[in-house]
Short mmCIF file of all heavy atoms in Angstrom, two decimals:
data_model
loop_
_atom_site.label_atom_id
_atom_site.label_comp_id
_atom_site.label_asym_id
_atom_site.label_seq_id
_atom_site.Cartn_x
_atom_site.Cartn_y
_atom_site.Cartn_z
N SER A 28 -15.72 -25.34 -8.39
CA SER A 28 -16.43 -26.40 -7.64
C SER A 28 -17.40 -27.06 -8.60
O SER A 28 -18.15 -26.35 -9.31
CB SER A 28 -17.18 -25.77 -6.46
OG SER A 28 -18.27 -26.59 -6.08
N THR A 29 -17.41 -28.37 -8.64
CA THR A 29 -18.37 -29.05 -9.53
C THR A 29 -19.80 -28.74 -9.11
O THR A 29 -20.70 -28.73 -9.94
CB THR A 29 -18.14 -30.58 -9.54
OG1 THR A 29 -18.22 -31.07 -8.21
CG2 THR A 29 -16.78 -30.94 -10.16
N ASN A 30 -20.01 -28.48 -7.81
CA ASN A 30 -21.37 -28.13 -7.37
C ASN A 30 -21.81 -26.78 -7.95
O ASN A 30 -22.97 -26.61 -8.32
CB ASN A 30 -21.45 -28.08 -5.84
CG ASN A 30 -21.98 -29.38 -5.26
OD1 ASN A 30 -21.65 -30.45 -5.75
ND2 ASN A 30 -22.77 -29.31 -4.21
N GLN A 52 -10.41 -29.09 -8.00
CA GLN A 52 -11.32 -27.99 -7.66
C GLN A 52 -10.50 -26.93 -6.93
O GLN A 52 -9.78 -27.24 -5.98
CB GLN A 52 -12.43 -28.48 -6.74
CG GLN A 52 -13.34 -29.52 -7.36
CD GLN A 52 -14.50 -29.85 -6.45
OE1 GLN A 52 -15.64 -29.56 -6.76
NE2 GLN A 52 -14.21 -30.46 -5.32
N GLY A 55 -13.30 -26.21 -3.90
CA GLY A 55 -14.17 -27.32 -3.51
C GLY A 55 -14.66 -27.08 -2.08
O GLY A 55 -13.89 -26.64 -1.24
N ARG A 56 -15.93 -27.33 -1.85
CA ARG A 56 -16.43 -27.05 -0.50
C ARG A 56 -17.19 -28.23 0.07
O ARG A 56 -17.75 -29.06 -0.66
CB ARG A 56 -17.29 -25.79 -0.49
CG ARG A 56 -18.51 -25.88 -1.35
CD ARG A 56 -19.41 -24.66 -1.19
NE ARG A 56 -20.59 -24.83 -2.02
CZ ARG A 56 -20.61 -24.55 -3.31
NH1 ARG A 56 -19.56 -24.06 -3.92
NH2 ARG A 56 -21.72 -24.76 -4.01
N GLY A 57 -17.19 -28.27 1.40
CA GLY A 57 -17.95 -29.28 2.12
C GLY A 57 -19.08 -28.63 2.88
O GLY A 57 -19.42 -27.46 2.64
N ARG A 58 -19.67 -29.38 3.78
CA ARG A 58 -20.76 -28.84 4.59
C ARG A 58 -20.23 -27.77 5.54
O ARG A 58 -19.05 -27.73 5.84
CB ARG A 58 -21.39 -29.95 5.44
CG ARG A 58 -22.22 -30.92 4.64
CD ARG A 58 -22.75 -31.99 5.56
NE ARG A 58 -23.66 -31.44 6.54
CZ ARG A 58 -23.53 -31.60 7.87
NH1 ARG A 58 -22.51 -32.26 8.37
NH2 ARG A 58 -24.42 -31.09 8.69
N TRP A 63 -13.18 -28.45 0.77
CA TRP A 63 -12.94 -29.87 0.45
C TRP A 63 -11.67 -29.93 -0.37
O TRP A 63 -11.60 -29.42 -1.48
CB TRP A 63 -14.11 -30.49 -0.31
CG TRP A 63 -13.88 -31.96 -0.57
CD1 TRP A 63 -13.42 -32.52 -1.73
CD2 TRP A 63 -14.08 -33.04 0.36
NE1 TRP A 63 -13.32 -33.90 -1.57
CE2 TRP A 63 -13.73 -34.23 -0.30
CE3 TRP A 63 -14.53 -33.10 1.67
CZ2 TRP A 63 -13.81 -35.48 0.32
CZ3 TRP A 63 -14.61 -34.35 2.29
CH2 TRP A 63 -14.25 -35.51 1.62
N LYS A 123 -12.48 -40.42 8.00
CA LYS A 123 -13.35 -40.01 6.89
C LYS A 123 -12.62 -40.12 5.55
O LYS A 123 -11.52 -39.60 5.39
CB LYS A 123 -13.79 -38.56 7.13
CG LYS A 123 -14.65 -37.98 6.05
CD LYS A 123 -15.35 -36.72 6.52
CE LYS A 123 -16.01 -36.00 5.36
NZ LYS A 123 -16.86 -34.89 5.79
N GLY A 126 -17.31 -37.57 1.50
CA GLY A 126 -18.31 -36.63 1.98
C GLY A 126 -19.30 -36.32 0.87
O GLY A 126 -19.00 -36.46 -0.32
N ILE A 127 -20.49 -35.91 1.30
CA ILE A 127 -21.59 -35.62 0.36
C ILE A 127 -22.12 -34.23 0.68
O ILE A 127 -22.37 -33.92 1.85
CB ILE A 127 -22.70 -36.69 0.55
CG1 ILE A 127 -22.18 -38.08 0.18
CG2 ILE A 127 -23.94 -36.34 -0.26
CD1 ILE A 127 -22.94 -39.20 0.86
N ILE A 145 -20.22 -35.17 -4.56
CA ILE A 145 -19.60 -36.33 -3.92
C ILE A 145 -18.08 -36.19 -4.01
O ILE A 145 -17.52 -35.98 -5.09
CB ILE A 145 -20.03 -37.64 -4.62
CG1 ILE A 145 -21.56 -37.79 -4.50
CG2 ILE A 145 -19.32 -38.86 -4.00
CD1 ILE A 145 -22.14 -38.97 -5.25
C1 BTN B 301 -18.45 -32.77 3.34
O1 BTN B 301 -17.91 -33.78 3.76
O2 BTN B 301 -18.61 -31.77 4.05
C2 BTN B 301 -18.97 -32.77 1.92
C3 BTN B 301 -17.86 -32.78 0.92
C4 BTN B 301 -18.35 -32.71 -0.51
C5 BTN B 301 -17.24 -32.50 -1.51
C6 BTN B 301 -17.71 -32.62 -2.90
S1 BTN B 301 -16.38 -32.73 -4.06
C7 BTN B 301 -17.48 -32.52 -5.39
C8 BTN B 301 -18.50 -31.48 -4.98
N1 BTN B 301 -18.02 -30.15 -5.27
C9 BTN B 301 -17.79 -29.43 -4.17
O3 BTN B 301 -17.37 -28.27 -4.11
N2 BTN B 301 -18.08 -30.18 -3.08
C10 BTN B 301 -18.57 -31.48 -3.44
#
Side-chain angles (χ1 to χ4, degrees):
S28 155
T29 56
N30 264 38
Q52 297 186 113
R56 61 174 181 277
R58 287 178 64 234
W63 183 261
K123 178 164 169 172
I127 296 155
I145 299 175

